[in-house]
Amino acid sequence: MKQEIVNYDGYDYDYSTYWKNRKYEDIAEHKALEKLLSNEHGEWFIDIGGSYGRLADCYAGRYQNCVIIDYSLKTLQKNYELITNRFPNVILIAANAYKLPFKNSSFNGGLMVRVLHHIDKQEEYFQEVSRILKNDSIYIQEFANKRHIKARIKALFKHDKTLNSLEPYQQPTINLEGAKGDGVSFLNYHTQYVANLLTDEGFQIEKKQGCSYLRMPFLKKVLGTKILAFLENILQKLFARTDFSPSIFLKAKLSKKGKHPLYIRLEDLLTCPNCKHNLIFDGQKARCSSCNKEYFKKDNVWDFRID
C-alpha cells in the first residue's frame, strides 16, 4: 500500500546530502528557473517542498515575501538560520501539500521542484495550488519525465508501447532520494498528463523547459561540472520544447475570478488547514476559531502538518 505523504523525518534523512555529488543537476535546475522567472516579481511566493532552501536564490530577490513549506519539520528547523540569514524575507512552515494552511488567493507565484514524483493524489494537489494562488499568478511545475531520450531507446528495443501512455510510471523503489521502501511513490510523468492537470484547474501553459540533459555518471566523470554546465545552457535553449530531458519544467499562469486581497503579514494569510477557518494567534500558538485545532511554532518554524 502506497503512502500518501512521504515523510523524510521518518527516515531521519538529510536531503542536502543528496546534492553533494549532484552539482551539475543543481546548476541545470538553477539555469532553468532563471529563464522561467526572469521577468517575474510580486508580494508573496511559495516554494512547495522547498526543503533546505536550495532554490531560494532563484525567487527571494524577486518577491517581497517568500514561504518555503515542507512536510519535514526537522529539515526546516535544522536549516532555519542558514536560510533566513541569507534570505531574511523567507519564512519556513511545515505543512501537508494537500492541505495548505493559507487563505484563498494568497500568493502571486509558486513552484514545486523534485516533489511531484511523491504526489499520489495529483488532482487534489493541483486543486489546492489553484486555491491559494491569485489571478494572473505564475506557477512552475517540475516533474520527472517518463519519455526522456534514454527511456525512448529502451522502449524501442523492448517494443514497449506503454511509454506513450498518459498514465504515470512508478519507478522501482530501491533508494530514491532517501525515501526507501515498497510503499513509497516515485512517479515519472507524461508531459501532457501534467499539462492536463494544470489546465483543468484554470492554468494556461506559457513555457516548457527541459533540464538536466546530460545527467549521466560517465559524462560527469569525463567532462566535469563546468563543461557540463556550459553544454546544458546550450541544450536548454535548443531543445526547450522537446521531451528529451529526464526533467521538465512547465510554467503556467492562473486565470480565475474572485477578489484578490493584499496580505501584509504572514498571520493575515494563514488559515486552519483542517477546516480553512480563521486562526487566533497567541505567541507561539495558533488556535482555529471553528474546529479549535491547535498549531504550534517550534524552533522558529510553524507546524501546520495534518494528515
Side-chain angles (χ1 to χ4, degrees):
M1 181 178 180
K2 292 182 179 179
Q3 298 175 353
E4 293 181 352
I5 302 172
V6 176
N7 184 4
Y8 281 91
D9 284 355
Y11 305 113
D12 195 23
Y13 178 69
D14 183 354
Y15 185 48
S16 64
T17 61
Y18 175 82
W19 291 96
K20 288 184 177 180
N21 297 317
R22 291 174 171 82
K23 186 64 177 175
Y24 158 66
E25 287 90 338
D26 181 53
I27 292 174
E29 292 179 6
H30 273 80
K31 286 182 179 295
L33 286 173
E34 285 170 9
K35 293 180 177 70
L36 297 173
L37 287 168
S38 60
N39 297 316
E40 303 300 338
H41 58 86
E43 290 85 24
W44 288 92
F45 188 90
I46 185 169
D47 182 351
I48 302 174
S51 188
Y52 66 99
R54 179 176 66 91
L55 300 173
D57 56 329
C58 294
Y59 51 77
R62 305 178 188 278
Y63 289 80
Q64 296 175 25
N65 306 284
C66 303
V67 177
I68 293 176
I69 75 135
D70 202 278
Y71 200 77
S72 174
L73 177 63
K74 290 181 181 178
T75 296
L76 297 175
Q77 290 172 330
K78 178 181 178 180
N79 293 281
Y80 174 80
E81 289 189 7
L82 180 66
I83 297 172
T84 57
N85 285 342
R86 188 179 177 191
F87 307 107
N89 63 328
V90 172
I91 302 162
L92 310 184
I93 294 177
N96 178 346
Y98 299 117
K99 298 177 181 179
L100 296 169
F102 305 108
K103 295 176 182 177
N104 296 351
S105 303
S106 291
F107 294 89
N108 306 102
L111 60 77
M112 172 186 271
V113 176
R114 297 233 177 196
V115 181
L116 195 64
H117 52 267
H118 289 322
I119 299 293
D120 280 331
K121 299 181 289 186
Q122 298 95 11
E123 294 86 356
E124 184 173 332
Y125 167 70
F126 282 105
Q127 287 172 6
E128 189 71 343
V129 171
S130 176
R131 182 186 68 79
I132 67 166
L133 290 177
K134 297 177 184 288
N135 181 42
D136 289 333
S137 296
I138 63 101
Y139 176 73
I140 297 172
Q141 180 64 66
E142 182 276 343
F143 57 93
N145 174 28
K146 67 180 282 187
R147 298 176 68 245
H148 58 82
I149 190 67
K150 187 177 178 180
R152 293 187 187 200
I153 294 172
K154 286 184 177 179
L156 182 63
F157 280 103
K158 293 182 179 179
H159 303 287
D160 182 4
K161 297 181 180 180
T162 63
L163 188 68
N164 293 321
S165 167
L166 292 185
E167 289 301 310
Y169 165 70
Q170 167 69 36
Q171 284 194 31
T173 52
I174 300 172
N175 182 11
L176 303 168
E177 298 184 11
K180 305 175 183 178
D182 293 334
V184 175
S185 291
F186 200 104
L187 301 169
N188 288 16
Y189 294 90
H190 191 296
T191 301
Q192 192 58 53
Y193 180 84
V194 179
N196 290 344
L197 289 168
L198 287 165
T199 55
D200 285 347
E201 295 304 323
F203 289 92
Q204 293 180 332
I205 308 299
E206 288 194 337
K207 290 183 181 179
K208 176 181 175 182
Q209 180 63 66
C211 185
S212 300
Y213 289 88
L214 304 172
R215 189 191 297 174
M216 287 175 276
F218 172 74
L219 292 178
K220 291 182 185 180
K221 185 176 181 180
V222 173
L223 298 179
T225 302
K226 289 185 178 180
I227 295 177
L228 286 177
F230 173 77
L231 296 173
E232 173 72 22
N233 194 44
I234 296 174
L235 293 172
Q236 285 192 10
K237 293 177 181 178
L238 289 176
F239 300 107
R241 298 182 180 182
T242 70
D243 285 339
F244 293 160
S245 59
S247 173
I248 290 179
F249 288 73
L250 292 180
K251 179 181 179 180
K253 177 173 283 189
L254 180 63
S255 177
K256 68 178 183 180
K257 299 178 181 179
K259 296 181 179 180
H260 312 295
L262 176 62
Y263 297 114
I264 305 299
R265 305 176 305 152
L266 175 67
E267 289 80 3
D268 295 333
L269 57 83
L270 285 172
T271 190
C272 175
N274 183 53
C275 67
K276 300 298 186 287
H277 282 80
N278 290 333
L279 294 169
I280 301 171
F281 291 91
D282 182 12
Q284 306 293 297
K285 181 176 74 172
R287 179 177 59 81
C288 178
S289 60
S290 179
C291 69
N292 288 318
K293 190 171 180 60
E294 293 183 335
Y295 308 93
F296 298 89
K297 195 173 187 179
K298 306 171 183 177
D299 295 332
N300 300 303
V301 179
W302 278 106
D303 185 1
F304 285 102
R305 296 174 298 174
I306 61 171
D307 295 331

